[in-house]
Amino acid sequence: MTVNYKKDMVVYQIYPRSFMDSDGDGVGDIRGIISRLDHIASLGVNAIWLSPVYVSPNDDNGYDIADYKAIQPQFGTMEDFETLVREAKARSIGIIMDLVINHTSDEHEWFRRALAGEEKYQDYYIIREGKDGGLPNNWGNFFAECPWTKFGDTDKYYLHLFSKKQPDLNWRNPAVLEEVKDIMRFWLDKGVIGFRCDVINVIWKDTLDDGKKSLVLTGSEHYLSKDGCHNILNILRREVLDPYGAFTVGETVFVDLEKARDLTDPARKELDMVFSFEHMEVDQVIVKWFKTRLVPQKLMRVITKWQQGLDWNATYFENHDQPRFLSRFSDAKGHRKECAKMIAGLLLTLRGTPYIYEGQEIGMTNGDFENIGEIMDIESRNIYKLAKKLHFPRALRWKMIMRTSRDHARTPMQWDWSENAGFTTGRPWLKVNANHEYINVKRDTVDKNGVSAFFKQMIHLRKTCPALLEGSFESLFEGRQVYAFKREYEGKALVSVMNMTAKPAKLPQQVMGYTQMVACNYAEEAGDTLRPFEFRLLAKRSDINALGL
Ligand code: ISL
């Protein structure tokens, strides 16, 4: 398969636990994915990013890996995985693995042997004495835990930026680098096309000194995108990825434009692109657990800033860590399909590599959870506990979960209107949303005005029209409701214009010369008024042929 990973790729992310269960145990699996490949292929995507499928005790649903070279039995076998790679390839789809190398599981053999006293493996992790009868430092933890846990029955502690079952690796030890190279080659030899690198910009800890006190993450100035991290990425690129022509997208937490530029600068040979977070944070107050109304104009500004600031990057609005994007628009109720299609239009006409998250293509919404007992995510459960300790009223605690929990993205994929949405014949591991009765693949894909039909149309347009793939980006209008931008290639342009609210809005004068409708998320034509969440792709009449349309 010859895909120019940067320009031609449209990625579909699968969260395997929640995608399709083939054996009735209530958990999705690889055979389930294979059985649904035709649906994925029908969208026109050419890559699948698989969230982790490795052996794991599932403290963090697979992001705690106990064996990097074996498949979690619940998900199937290595043979199943090889079949998946083959079957995907037969449909011109490449597989991207999730590479989680900031930490392992505490049940990984390396950590077990470290605990058993083998010094070699103790040096794989970050293990320190306490200071003045306390912890080794004052750092914070991503999951609202204490980042230091007693190392076995010694007086020492090990560092974990995530759960206590996710000990951080010691990247100063060259043996760790060698192990990871070997793991990467193992999967590349199986035919995967690249990696999504989990929290890759935190792997290198410059010092373990106390950090500046911060409400967000105390200590992060000592490990965010440090030179040591750049250096490791460069080694992995040159020695492992390049010989295979493989691709990487880095998940880079708290990344700013300048750091993102360094990490993706082709001359530096590190990552191909990164997932940035600023557009995911426009509706938050200090931390993601406190959300306010999403103000469209703020979103537009951040999108424009990143479009202009980087030559090329990953674009996304959903993944397994984020609430469903359409559910963030407080006035989208009653306009679900239009809003889902507007997001599709935006995603697929920005410059960069688009990532679609499972269920986004049919307009799935946040989960309809009723109480904390239904929430499985470790991060949500921890934050709920912490908020209780801080005496937050129960209603506020629940509101935090209902606005932000990662489980909103993880509810089982809605295939049809039957019990459990066709996801499993058993008991689903996480509550299926009751709205599967009308939001599901079976219904949406036969609807010519369905969300998935619009995704297909937009993906097809990207493939046929160089202006959408390679064209420059220019913001034309950022209003209280309406966003418009231009993609131009060899003097010919396409314009995306959309209303990000439920109130009708005037077409801005900046798009007036573009009278030819190329695509629209409403079935019937309309005049100069943009209806709720309306998206239009426009061109000049005289340019239609030259644009490849
Ligand atoms: O969602 C987040 C930020 O908005 C964080 O909760 C998230 O933990 C962070 O983005 C890092 O995410 C990645 O690493 C975690 C794992 O739990 C996430 O699922 C993964 O995407 C630890 O491996």
Side-chain angles (χ1 to χ4, degrees):
M1 192 184 334
T2 42
V3 176
N4 173 343
Y5 294 124
K6 274 199 155 178
K7 298 237 156 69
D8 304 346
M9 203 162 65
V10 180
V11 187
Y12 186 89
Q13 181 192 352
I14 293 182
Y15 196 66
R17 281 186 87 71
S18 305
F19 193 63
M20 181 66 209
D21 175 21
S22 72
D23 60 5
D25 66 356
V27 173
D29 48 46
I30 295 173
R31 297 227 137 257
I33 299 173
I34 296 169
S35 74
R36 297 292 185 173
L37 277 177
D38 286 335
H39 164 70
I40 301 170
S42 76
L43 297 169
V45 306
N46 47 17
I48 290 174
W49 150 28
L50 268 190
S51 277
V53 289
Y54 318 95
V55 170
S56 161
N58 277 326
D59 189 49
D60 185 18
N61 290 350
Y63 283 88
D64 46 323
I65 299 172
D67 184 345
Y68 287 85
K69 292 186 185 172
I71 299 291
Q72 172 82 342
Q74 249 185 340
F75 289 156
T77 61
M78 192 57 86
E79 216 187 318
D80 293 339
F81 179 81
E82 285 160 358
T83 309
L84 172 63
V85 173
R86 225 178 22 248
E87 289 290 318
K89 194 167 180 192
R91 293 165 177 81
S92 302
I93 295 174
I95 301 289
I96 298 168
M97 292 301 264
D98 215 313
L99 188 69
V100 188
I101 53 175
N102 174 66
H103 42 265
T104 69
S105 162
D106 66 340
E107 297 183 31
H108 192 288
E109 192 195 344
W110 303 334
F111 198 76
R112 288 181 195 233
R113 292 175 76 166
L115 275 176
E118 286 189 48
E119 273 170 31
K120 171 179 172 194
Y121 290 105
Q122 289 177 354
D123 197 30
Y124 275 37
Y125 296 92
I126 301 174
I127 300 165
R128 291 290 183 281
E129 308 266 352
K131 233 173 37 190
D132 313 323
L135 300 168
N137 66 24
N138 69 347
W139 288 10
N141 167 289
F142 281 79
F143 287 169
E145 298 182 2
C146 169
W148 294 100
T149 294
K150 271 275 163 74
F151 181 66
D153 51 17
T154 69
D155 287 336
K156 296 183 177 163
Y157 299 84
Y158 65 91
L159 175 72
H160 53 93
L161 291 181
F162 294 87
S163 112
K164 63 175 183 301
K165 288 184 68 63
Q166 293 168 302
D168 280 42
L169 283 164
N170 172 20
W171 278 92
R172 288 171 181 275
N173 179 353
V176 167
L177 177 61
E178 291 312 309
E179 298 272 14
V180 169
K181 284 186 196 167
D182 179 53
I183 290 164
M184 290 169 75
R185 290 190 183 116
F186 177 86
W187 293 103
L188 289 165
D189 285 338
K190 293 209 177 286
V192 311
I193 61 168
F195 299 95
R196 175 266 185 189
C197 309
D198 190 66
V199 288
I200 197 67
N201 61 330
V202 312
I203 61 174
W204 184 270
K205 282 78 182 173
D206 248 3
T207 78
L208 293 174
D209 293 347
D210 278 352
K212 275 199 292 300
K213 282 242 166 21
S214 147
L215 276 176
V216 184
L217 262 179
T218 299
S220 58
E221 70 272 28
H222 295 315
Y223 57 75
L224 283 179
S225 311
K226 294 293 165 192
D227 285 347
C229 172
H230 287 294
N231 184 35
I232 285 162
L233 289 173
N234 177 265
I235 294 172
L236 294 176
R237 159 66 58 202
R238 284 186 292 108
E239 294 182 25
V240 183
L241 296 157
D242 274 353
Y244 288 86
F247 141 96
T248 51
V249 51
E251 188 212 24
T252 46
V253 284
F254 302 111
V255 76
D256 60 25
L257 247 181
E258 200 184 325
K259 299 237 171 75
R261 253 184 234 129
D262 285 349
L263 287 160
T264 59
D265 176 356
R268 294 177 59 122
K269 291 187 170 288
E270 296 179 19
L271 295 164
D272 288 302
M273 56 189 89
V274 298
F275 292 122
S276 64
F277 285 75
E278 204 177 336
H279 65 303
M280 289 286 131
E281 296 167 353
V282 291
D283 54 357
Q284 81 179 29
V285 183
I286 303 172
V287 292
K288 69 173 185 172
W289 297 101
F290 298 111
K291 288 219 159 52
T292 89
R293 203 173 65 81
L294 186 144
V295 177
Q297 212 168 23
K298 282 196 193 161
L299 178 66
M300 299 168 199
R301 287 194 182 126
V302 173
I303 293 174
T304 296
K305 170 178 160 189
W306 282 81
Q307 286 282 301
Q308 288 172 343
L310 279 176
D311 177 53
W312 190 271
N313 203 20
T315 50
Y316 75 99
F317 291 98
E318 292 189 13
N319 64 34
H320 64 293
D321 289 334
Q322 299 288 342
R324 294 286 182 179
F325 204 70
L326 70 89
S327 298
R328 292 186 175 206
F329 290 92
S330 51
D331 53 352
K333 281 189 198 75
H335 306 285
R336 178 188 64 85
K337 273 168 64 181
E338 289 73 25
C339 186
K341 289 195 261 182
M342 184 271 288
I343 296 165
L346 171 62
L347 174 70
L348 290 157
T349 59
L350 288 171
R351 184 174 158 90
T353 301
Y355 290 74
I356 301 162
Y357 179 68
E358 64 179 42
Q360 191 181 349
E361 79 277 26
I362 54 164
M364 276 177 63
T365 66
N366 276 352
D368 54 354
F369 304 109
E370 277 159 20
N371 57 63
I372 190 71
E374 290 177 345
I375 299 289
M376 299 294 152
D377 176 31
I378 178 170
E379 185 194 51
S380 299
R381 295 176 74 98
N382 281 353
I383 208 76
Y384 192 83
K385 257 188 263 161
L386 176 70
K388 194 168 177 183
K389 218 161 100 189
L390 296 172
H391 303 292
F392 285 23
R394 187 206 286 258
L396 174 61
R397 276 171 1 229
W398 186 238
K399 196 170 161 195
M400 288 161 62
I401 299 297
M402 285 310 273
R403 287 294 295 270
T404 303
S405 176
R406 305 193 298 181
D407 275 355
H408 287 302
R410 302 175 180 184
T411 61
M413 180 72 181
Q414 295 166 199
W415 295 104
D416 60 36
W417 48 78
S418 67
E419 207 196 340
N420 297 331
F423 162 72
T424 179
T425 53
R427 197 169 163 247
W429 73 276
L430 184 67
K431 189 182 176 188
V432 174
N433 196 319
N435 66 19
H436 73 275
E437 283 181 11
Y438 59 96
I439 305 174
N440 60 62
V441 171
K442 200 165 171 178
R443 188 174 139 144
D444 191 82
T445 47
V446 296
D447 176 359
K448 73 177 194 327
N449 296 316
V451 180
S452 52
F454 196 66
F455 265 94
K456 288 176 198 174
Q457 184 188 359
M458 294 309 301
I459 292 171
H460 178 74
L461 280 169
R462 263 185 79 85
K463 285 188 182 155
T464 35
C465 183
L468 283 183
L469 269 189
E470 313 197 26
S472 59
F473 171 93
E474 184 192 337
S475 171
L476 297 178
F477 187 76
E478 293 168 21
R480 287 162 73 98
Q481 296 175 270
V482 176
Y483 188 30
F485 56 82
K486 181 160 88 173
R487 300 290 315 281
E488 189 168 333
Y489 184 71
E490 294 181 345
K492 308 288 171 209
L494 279 167
V495 163
S496 284
V497 57
M498 68 214 77
N499 177 2
M500 291 190 168
T501 71
K503 289 204 194 87
K506 275 256 150 278
L507 259 188
Q509 173 257 325
Q510 284 81 347
V511 311
M512 285 310 178
Y514 300 86
T515 48
Q516 177 74 44
M517 183 88 82
V518 179
C520 177
N521 62 348
Y522 276 78
E524 316 83 40
E525 290 270 333
D528 285 354
T529 305
L530 288 169
R531 291 156 286 186
F533 299 100
E534 180 163 349
F535 170 90
R536 292 185 196 173
L537 186 64
L538 304 169
K540 288 191 175 142
R541 274 188 210 283
S542 51
D543 286 351
I544 288 299
N545 289 336
L547 279 164
L549 295 163

